[in-house]
Amino acid sequence: MAETVIFVVFALVALFGAVTMVWARNPVYSALGLMLTMFSIAVFYVSNAAHFIGVVQVIIYAGAVMTLFLFVIMLIGVDKAEDRSENLPLQRPMAITLIVLLAAGVMLAGRHAWVTGATATVGGAEGTIEAIGQELLRNWLLPFEVTALLLIVAAIGAISLALFRDGEEAGE
């Protein structure tokens, strides 16, 4: 019963954060909505006994990545509200249609038991930091390195945008 209450409360919080992220006029509020959603997802991980993933979710995504997002938003100066006049008249009805289709898909998928991935454990210690580290550095090394390279390129791009903007203003 307590798990159901926790799930419902944090599901509502996650939905509120997601809606805030999409509909907020100020990018800072959008980033804060995303952070709220990430914290709620971390609670889901912890409630499903994936404590390590929950901690990683909070430290990396809700902590480091969101701090980087907020830093970039402040650095490039888009922390002001934008004009949100509707230029695409079919965008909103298509989005509502996709949401309804997604909800129907989730409801259909929820009727069946899901079996994802192999059920075998690595050394009988599934979900431990050691097992995740062995999988990550043995079988998933290339995607891990590509992801690290992608994050470095994104950080360099954010810094370049900030410097380009300063140079642009100096030339005017």
Side-chain angles (χ1 to χ4, degrees):
M1 180 64 184
E3 289 181 9
T4 304
V5 171
I6 289 172
F7 175 79
V8 169
V9 167
F10 282 97
L12 291 174
V13 170
L15 283 175
F16 175 74
V19 169
T20 301
M21 179 190 71
V22 173
W23 286 15
R25 293 180 185 262
N26 190 324
V28 174
Y29 295 142
S30 292
L32 291 175
L34 180 60
M35 188 163 46
L36 186 64
T37 301
M38 289 181 177
F39 274 119
S40 299
I41 291 172
V43 171
F44 293 151
Y45 286 135
V46 170
S47 69
N48 285 313
H51 298 98
F52 176 71
I53 301 298
V55 169
V56 167
Q57 173 80 13
V58 169
I59 292 173
I60 294 177
Y61 291 107
V65 171
M66 287 311 303
T67 303
L68 181 65
F69 280 2
L70 288 173
F71 181 70
V72 168
I73 288 170
M74 297 295 182
L75 198 61
I76 62 175
V78 293
D79 56 340
K80 300 173 189 88
E82 296 180 4
D83 177 29
R84 297 190 68 167
S85 60
E86 187 122 355
N87 295 331
L88 302 172
L90 295 177
Q91 183 180 14
R92 200 171 299 252
M94 287 177 57
I96 291 172
T97 303
L98 288 175
I99 288 171
V100 169
L101 288 175
L102 178 66
V106 167
M107 292 172 82
L108 280 175
R111 299 173 118 192
H112 304 287
W114 285 22
V115 178
T116 58
T119 57
T121 60
V122 179
E126 184 178 347
T128 63
I129 295 173
E130 182 181 354
I132 292 172
Q134 285 180 358
E135 279 290 316
L136 190 63
L137 296 178
R138 287 186 181 162
N139 299 330
W140 297 94
L141 183 61
L142 182 62
F144 179 73
E145 294 294 333
V146 169
T147 302
L149 180 65
L150 181 68
L151 289 174
I152 290 171
V153 169
I156 291 171
I159 292 169
S160 298
L161 282 174
L163 292 177
F164 176 72
R165 186 173 176 96
D166 286 339
E168 184 179 76
E169 289 175 357
E172 291 179 358

